[in-house]
Amino acid sequence: MTELIKQLLADGPVILDGAWGTQLQQRGLSSGDCPDEWNLSHAEQVECVPRAYVEAGSQVVLTNTFRSNRLALDGYGLSAQVQAINRAAAEISLRAAGDLAIVFGSIGPSGKMLMTGEVSESELDAAFSEQAAALASAGVAAILVETMSDLAEAKLALAAAKRTGLPVVVSMVFDSGKELDRTMMGDTAEKVATELTVAGADVVGANCGQGIESYVGVCQQLHRATDLPIWIKANAGVPQICDGEVVYRTSAEEFAKHGPALVQAGAKFVGGCCGTGPEFIQALRKSVRG
């Protein structure tokens, strides 16, 4: 276990941040806009998000870089802005965190399918290496590889992030199979935890995909398969379409009441994903840390 992870865990479960996309939408981001480009054009608005989470009690906040690898940014015509977007994002979150929280750099999926040949392993490695290096040079304390559905892609991102020398968390999406405990590719939580542990992850976990109550079982499976700390960031329930808009029905109080069960199942890092906000983090912190 790295010294940073050890220090974070010394005082009990670590409270993470919540969703970013929905928070930026509340501040004016349109559905067709690239959220990550706002690091350059709307820095003050972006900074409001991690600042609100820190004020709510988050001990770790992310960077607004979920789509900031070259392959994903190319869909917005922004592939030439990789360095600038990642660096600006790190500076924004570091300012907001101050001395009250730690900043983990977010790396999301490429948006390309490895198994169909839409992208090659070498292209993924180059894209993830470029982003990880940009985040590391900008001063983040660790890297989070998140919302991954393909274990092969996740391991490539992990290898690229590990070359920075920083601690690396890898978080997969489990929303498939009869029990909703498999990735889109059909991998079980046990398989994911085992392979990511062997591949050198410092923390493994799950995010997005489903609500917090469903991730208790996934957390147990991950915990059984590895000695590494477990990271869980669940959605505010399963999204529903209401009048053409995505709506999350779970309240902050309902979300937070499942926090202790997650911790009992083995979670060491807990936070929120889609549909959650500062009020969710505040309630979660109260439920698991008192």
Side-chain angles (χ1 to χ4, degrees), residues 7-236:
Q7 289 174 1
L8 283 169
L9 295 177
D11 191 33
V14 178
I15 306 300
L16 307 172
D17 60 7
W20 278 71
T22 48
Q23 292 296 301
L24 290 175
Q25 287 167 9
Q26 291 176 16
R27 291 166 171 82
L29 177 74
S30 300
S31 58
D33 292 343
C34 176
D36 306 42
E37 190 279 332
W38 267 38
N39 299 329
L40 302 178
S41 62
H42 296 73
E44 290 183 4
Q45 295 283 52
V46 174
E47 189 171 336
C48 290
V49 177
R51 190 172 298 282
Y53 283 128
V54 172
E55 291 173 354
S58 295
Q59 298 165 270
V60 170
V61 293
L62 302 181
T63 53
N64 183 37
T65 52
F66 181 74
R67 296 176 178 86
S68 296
N69 65 74
R70 177 172 294 275
L71 296 169
L73 286 177
D74 189 51
Y76 297 96
L78 295 169
S79 58
Q81 299 294 312
V82 172
Q83 296 289 335
I85 289 173
N86 281 280
R87 178 168 291 279
E91 291 172 352
I92 288 167
S93 288
L94 286 165
R95 260 196 320 271
D99 297 327
L100 300 176
I102 303 295
V103 176
F104 283 27
S106 167
I107 292 180
S110 66
K112 308 289 185 181
M113 295 291 289
L114 183 62
M115 66 181 297
T116 63
E118 187 179 7
V119 67
S120 68
E121 290 189 0
S122 62
E123 288 173 322
L124 286 175
D125 178 76
F128 291 136
S129 295
E130 179 182 34
Q131 184 183 5
L135 288 167
S137 67
V140 301
I143 301 289
L144 166 66
V145 176
E146 63 170 321
T147 325
M148 288 285 176
S149 297
D150 183 349
L151 182 56
E153 181 176 10
K155 288 196 287 187
L156 287 167
L158 167 61
K162 289 292 286 184
R163 287 196 287 271
T164 65
L166 297 177
V168 182
V169 181
V170 183
S171 181
M172 304 288 294
V173 179
F174 295 91
D175 59 359
S176 300
K178 184 178 179 181
E179 303 298 327
L180 298 180
D181 59 354
R182 293 173 179 262
T183 68
M184 184 179 70
M185 300 299 182
D187 292 324
T188 64
E190 287 93 341
K191 178 182 178 180
V192 164
T194 299
E195 293 198 16
L196 290 176
T197 300
V198 172
D202 297 290
V203 178
V204 298
N207 76 287
C208 205
Q210 53 183 306
I212 190 169
E213 66 280 1
S214 301
Y215 265 141
V216 173
V218 171
C219 184
Q220 290 172 334
Q221 294 177 48
L222 291 167
H223 186 51
R224 283 197 297 266
T226 183
D227 292 329
L228 295 179
I230 307 299
W231 171 291
I232 303 288
K233 293 187 76 179
N235 288 347

